[in-house]
């Protein structure tokens, strides 16, 4: 009985964390699924978001403004990766790794600003500052509950992105991910769209980082470690479960958020079962590897040979 | 309409794989010319089209479209003037986007993309009528992903996309080569119809000599990166496949006799 009450007790926290990581997962979805680029900047930009947000809050900036500034910092990180990739011709995956590495130093610098030197961990107390979300209120009812705030933010984000990817620029970004040759032949500057996609993605990731730092009450230089894998896990879990029912773009984004929530619920579950937190990252990596392997093997070993020769008379 | 002046392009210069692909290429197309291009493998046909489209910069020479020097423009900048259909049916469309969305992308070729809607209601109606003209039933499945279409259907959609916004120049790079003969004939006939209705200046590469003779008002033959035979009007209309073969043998010491151009 204890097991279930403690599990139940941990659910609000899992939901809140899932929602925050869901925003991060949408960022990953934009690069990994829409733009067809594996972007590893996110491990760095998540921490950048947290660092900027906490430092500005500690320096007297209103929390919501600090969150906005964090988004800007994320956009900037995406811009750097984008330029390394397009203007400098570095493969996307390496460009992301370079930015991520550079951000480690940058993040230490940011967290040192006005706080007395490079700090690896920076607490921000919900008692002293008006934070947007805090785990303190996760079990209270009312407007202060982070779940409520986060659901609103997620709905607004999905609506905004749904609109954006329906515009001419948004369509151009989608086309770039679908077929770069065709995009250029249709007059799309694929360098610009790629940079734009990376910026939006990292802006969202930094937003998640900012909210996460407020929620947990501190920003940490290592808070983004392995973030890409958690984001991927959320995207893939969402796809596996909802692929058949969610075809609309807004619903696909929602699926990524729900995927993140499921991920955190499952994590809580296995932790209660006695898994050490030290092994969490190993478990996450295994889960993602498994989910990526299954569709591949399915296609490779379990496909019936179909006769697909000759002409199509309808063509 | 199109002027290619003394264009050179060498791939892998300075390595063992060095390949002179375009070797002092000169070509002038008049407004409304429908020019078919033939030549053996490695003659430089596709390279010529890619040079015009701006896939990479040329080593030397000048390319002008409608009097404008486009030599230094990048591929997406030149797209303003050029409609293209590729050999690979996968290459000309975005598989994960709808038929309607693909057409909407093409409708915005050459104009700046903004935060306006990517596809309007009015466009939907226009595309419905347009797809109807293909007679493939695609108008009833406009929102289907293009990836679900057959190769022939995709090439037909790509043709519409290339000509939706009337291009100054249409480049067809063996666009029926990957299709079965029956479908190829249909797509070719459609191409011919669209070119004539819109009076488009066109370069069409083909490996089929009969098609090269049958379509268009002009025919050029390429060999080792430049044009070795250029025939138009009456003279072209009276050409026979055997004349072309004779021409090949003459310039290339019958090297072409074994080429797959003979397949026709």
């Amino acid at each position: 009985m204890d097991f279930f009450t403690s599990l139940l007790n941990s659910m609000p926290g899992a939901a809140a964390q899932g929602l925050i990581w869901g925003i991060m997962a949408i960022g990953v979805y934009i690069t990994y699924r829409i733009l067809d680029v594996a972007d590893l900047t996110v491990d760095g930009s998540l921490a950048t978001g947290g660092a900027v947000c906490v430092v500005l809050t500690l320096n007297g900036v209103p929390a919501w403004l600090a969150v906005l500034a964090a988004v800007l910092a994320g956009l900037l990180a995406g811009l750097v990766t984008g330029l390394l990739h397009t203007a400098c011709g570095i493969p996307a995956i390496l460009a992301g790794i370079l930015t991520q590495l550079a951000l480690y130093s940058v993040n230490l610098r940011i967290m040192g600003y006005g706080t007395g030197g490079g700090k690896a961990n920076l607490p921000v107390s919900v008692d002293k500052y008006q934070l947007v979300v805090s785990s303190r209120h996760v079990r209270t009812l009312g407007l202060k509950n982070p779940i409520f705030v986060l659901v609103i933010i997620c709905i607004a984000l999905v609506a905004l992105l749904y609109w954006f990817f329906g515009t001419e620029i948004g369509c151009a970004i989608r086309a770039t991910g679908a077929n770069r040759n065709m995009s250029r032949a249709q007059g799309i500057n694929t360098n610009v769209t790629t940079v734009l996609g990376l910026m939006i993605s990292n802006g969202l990731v930094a937003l998640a980082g900012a909210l996460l730092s407020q929620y947990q009450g501190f920003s940490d230089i290592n808070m983004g470690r392995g973030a890409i894998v958690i984001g991927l896990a959320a995207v893939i879990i969402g796809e596996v479960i909802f692929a058949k029912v969610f075809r609309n773009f807004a619903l696909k984004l929602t699926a990524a958020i729900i995927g993140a929530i499921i991920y955190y619920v499952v994590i809580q579950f296995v932790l209660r079962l006695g898994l050490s937190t030290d092994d969490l990252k190993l478990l996450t990596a295994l889960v993602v590897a498994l989910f990526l392997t299954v569709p591949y093997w399915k296609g490779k070993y379990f496909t019936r040979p179909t006769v697909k020769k000759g002409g199509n008379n309808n063509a | 309409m199109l002027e290619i002046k003394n264009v050179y392009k060498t791939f892998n210069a300075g390595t063992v794989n060095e390949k002179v692909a375009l070797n002092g290429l000169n070509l002038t197309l008049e407004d409304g010319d429908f020019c078919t291009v033939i030549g053996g493998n490695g003659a430089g046909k596709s390279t010529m089209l890619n040079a015009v489209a701006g896939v990479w910069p040329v080593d030397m020479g000048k390319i002008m479209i409608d009097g404008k020097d486009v030599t230094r423009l990048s591929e997406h900048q030149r797209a303003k003037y050029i409609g293209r259909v590729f050999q690979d049916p996968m290459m000309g469309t975005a598989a994960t986007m709808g038929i309607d969305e693909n057409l909407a992308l093409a409708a915005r070729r050459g104009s700046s993309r903004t935060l306006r809607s990517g596809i309007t209601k009015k466009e939907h109606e226009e595309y419905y009528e347009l797809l109807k003209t293909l007679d493939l039933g695609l108008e009833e499945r406009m929102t289907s992903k293009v990836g679900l279409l057959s190769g022939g259907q995709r090439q037909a959609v790509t043709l519409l996309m290339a000509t939706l916004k009337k291009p100054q120049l249409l480049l067809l790079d063996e666009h029926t080569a990957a299709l079965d003969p029956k479908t190829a004939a249909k797509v070719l006939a459609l191409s011919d119809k669209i070119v004539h209705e819109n009076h488009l200046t066109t370069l069409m590469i083909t490996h089929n000599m009969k098609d090269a003779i049958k379509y268009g008002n002009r025919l050029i033959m390429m060999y080792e990166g430049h044009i070795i035979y250029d025939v138009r009007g009456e003279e072209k209309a009276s050409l026979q496949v055997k004349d072309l073969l004779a021409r090949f043998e003459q310039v290339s010491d019958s090297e072409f006799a074994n080429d797959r151009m003979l397949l026709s």
Side-chain angles (χ1 to χ4, degrees):
Chain A
M1 214 46 215
D2 250 9
F3 174 79
F4 284 106
T5 39
S6 80
L7 184 68
L8 218 59
N9 262 328
S10 67
M11 282 305 110
Q17 274 197 305
L19 285 164
I20 294 174
W21 283 92
I23 296 171
M24 195 272 170
I26 291 179
V28 172
Y29 184 90
I30 288 172
T31 46
Y32 183 68
R33 278 289 180 244
I34 298 181
L35 207 52
D36 196 20
V37 164
D39 176 33
L40 298 188
T41 318
V42 293
D43 283 23
S45 52
L46 189 93
T48 305
V52 169
C53 182
V54 170
V55 157
L56 287 181
T57 310
L58 292 178
N59 283 294
V61 176
W64 64 271
L65 201 61
V67 171
L68 276 187
V71 173
L72 287 182
L75 293 174
L76 211 60
L79 177 68
V80 171
T81 302
L83 290 179
L84 284 174
H85 175 43
T86 57
C88 307
I90 299 170
I93 200 153
L94 187 55
I97 291 174
L98 290 175
T99 314
Q100 183 204 117
L101 184 71
L103 281 177
Y104 189 87
S105 300
V106 173
N107 293 342
L108 280 176
R109 286 273 180 185
I110 293 173
M111 291 204 278
Y113 183 79
T115 57
K119 291 223 171 103
N121 187 297
L122 212 53
V124 57
S125 166
V126 67
D127 298 322
K128 281 199 225 157
Y129 303 95
Q130 282 275 328
L131 300 182
V132 179
V133 287
S134 169
S135 59
R136 172 79 55 87
H137 308 298
V138 79
R139 267 183 282 274
T140 53
L141 288 174
L143 298 182
K144 266 192 164 175
N145 190 312
I147 296 178
F148 174 75
V149 178
L150 287 167
V151 165
I152 301 274
I153 293 177
C154 284
I155 290 174
L157 277 178
V158 169
L160 185 70
L161 290 170
Y162 180 75
W163 164 78
F164 176 74
F165 281 102
T167 64
E168 291 174 338
I169 295 176
C171 283
I173 294 177
R174 283 160 59 209
T176 304
N179 186 340
R180 278 174 170 69
N181 279 312
M182 167 268 191
S183 300
R184 281 192 289 269
Q186 298 303 343
I188 294 168
N189 187 340
T190 50
N191 283 347
V192 169
T193 47
T194 303
V195 171
L196 213 55
L198 284 167
M199 287 176 71
I200 295 168
S201 165
N202 280 288
L204 286 167
V205 172
L207 171 62
L211 293 173
L212 184 62
S213 67
Q214 294 199 4
Y215 177 79
Q216 63 192 12
F218 63 90
S219 92
D220 189 281
I221 189 70
N222 286 320
M223 67 191 267
R225 178 158 294 171
I228 178 74
V229 185
I230 298 177
L232 277 177
V235 168
I236 294 166
I237 293 170
E239 279 178 354
V240 167
I241 297 178
F242 299 108
K244 292 253 159 64
V245 266
F246 283 8
R247 293 187 185 280
N248 177 289
F249 181 69
L251 291 177
K252 283 181 179 173
L253 295 181
T254 312
I257 298 176
I258 300 176
I261 296 173
I262 292 173
Y263 172 84
Y264 271 94
V265 169
V266 171
I267 292 292
Q268 285 304 329
F269 188 72
V270 292
L271 285 180
R272 305 281 149 186
L273 282 179
L275 185 91
S276 157
T277 44
D278 293 351
D279 299 330
L280 261 188
K281 296 234 194 285
L282 175 66
L283 182 77
T284 309
L286 283 177
V287 167
V288 171
L290 186 73
F291 273 106
L292 289 175
T293 308
V294 168
Y296 175 74
W297 280 1
K298 235 172 142 181
K300 198 172 173 187
Y301 302 114
F302 302 102
T303 324
R304 286 159 185 272
T306 46
V307 186
K308 218 184 162 187
K309 276 237 158 174
N312 187 335
N313 291 332
N314 299 325
Chain B
M1 186 51 79
L2 171 71
E3 274 179 87
I4 303 174
K5 284 185 193 162
N6 206 28
V7 165
Y8 287 82
K9 178 70 188 181
T10 304
F11 290 111
N12 306 314
T15 72
V16 284
N17 292 321
E18 182 169 297
K19 160 84 182 154
V20 180
L22 294 179
N23 194 3
L25 176 70
N26 282 292
L27 175 69
T28 303
L29 288 187
E30 305 301 330
D31 192 10
D33 264 355
F34 181 177
C35 180
T36 57
V37 186
I38 57 173
N41 291 327
K45 306 182 299 295
S46 286
T47 313
M48 172 172 75
L49 258 54
N50 286 338
V52 173
V55 176
W56 23 250
V58 296
D59 299 336
M60 229 176 92
K62 206 171 173 184
I63 296 165
M64 317 252 292
I65 297 174
D66 203 11
K68 277 187 261 338
D69 187 347
V70 299
T71 319
R72 287 176 181 282
L73 295 188
S74 61
E75 189 178 0
H76 72 269
Q77 287 169 318
R78 289 189 213 185
K80 194 174 181 178
Y81 312 107
I82 301 172
R84 283 155 81 192
V85 185
F86 308 92
Q87 177 174 357
D88 181 355
M90 303 297 162
M91 226 166 127
T93 44
T96 53
M97 296 174 79
I99 299 175
D100 51 349
E101 289 176 312
N102 272 276
L103 289 168
L105 280 170
R108 286 157 180 75
R109 181 165 50 79
S111 41
S112 63
R113 286 161 211 265
T114 64
L115 289 176
R116 280 192 302 258
S117 175
I119 178 166
T120 62
K121 262 228 166 82
K122 187 164 154 276
E123 282 180 85
H124 253 280
E125 289 158 19
E126 286 168 19
Y127 300 156
Y128 184 89
E129 296 302 321
L130 192 67
L131 286 166
K132 231 177 176 173
T133 63
L134 291 182
D135 206 17
L136 297 173
L138 294 181
E139 66 274 12
E140 297 303 336
R141 41 193 292 215
M142 264 168 68
T143 52
S144 300
K145 302 267 179 283
V146 170
L148 299 172
L149 305 186
S150 71
Q153 288 170 333
R154 284 181 82 154
Q155 288 302 64
V157 171
T158 313
L159 255 175
L160 283 189
M161 288 169 64
T163 53
L164 188 58
K165 196 161 185 188
K166 191 179 166 185
Q168 256 97 325
L169 184 66
L170 178 62
L171 303 178
L172 307 173
D173 187 355
E174 276 192 74
H175 65 305
T176 60
L179 308 176
D180 67 90
K182 209 171 155 190
T183 313
K186 271 189 188 174
V187 171
L188 213 52
L190 175 70
S191 316
D192 191 50
K193 182 175 152 237
I194 290 176
V195 167
H196 278 112
E197 278 174 2
N198 297 291
H199 191 68
L200 297 173
T201 311
T202 306
L203 267 176
M204 179 174 91
I205 298 178
T206 174
H207 260 117
N208 186 317
M209 284 198 262
K210 274 186 198 151
D211 289 338
I213 292 168
K214 182 176 167 194
Y215 294 102
N217 64 329
R218 190 169 167 187
L219 181 151
I220 57 176
M221 187 187 296
M222 290 186 72
Y223 181 65
E224 292 190 339
H226 60 273
I227 292 162
I228 52 162
Y229 185 45
D230 184 347
V231 54
R232 64 185 90 189
E234 291 278 299
E235 196 186 348
K236 180 196 176 259
S238 60
L239 266 181
Q240 303 269 320
V241 172
K242 66 176 186 343
D243 300 332
L244 287 178
L245 287 177
R247 196 81 198 182
F248 268 138
E249 283 164 20
Q250 192 186 333
V251 294
S252 59
D253 287 338
S254 75
E255 184 190 317
F256 280 105
N258 301 321
D259 204 282
R260 69 182 175 112
M261 284 199 62
L262 279 175
L263 287 176
S264 63

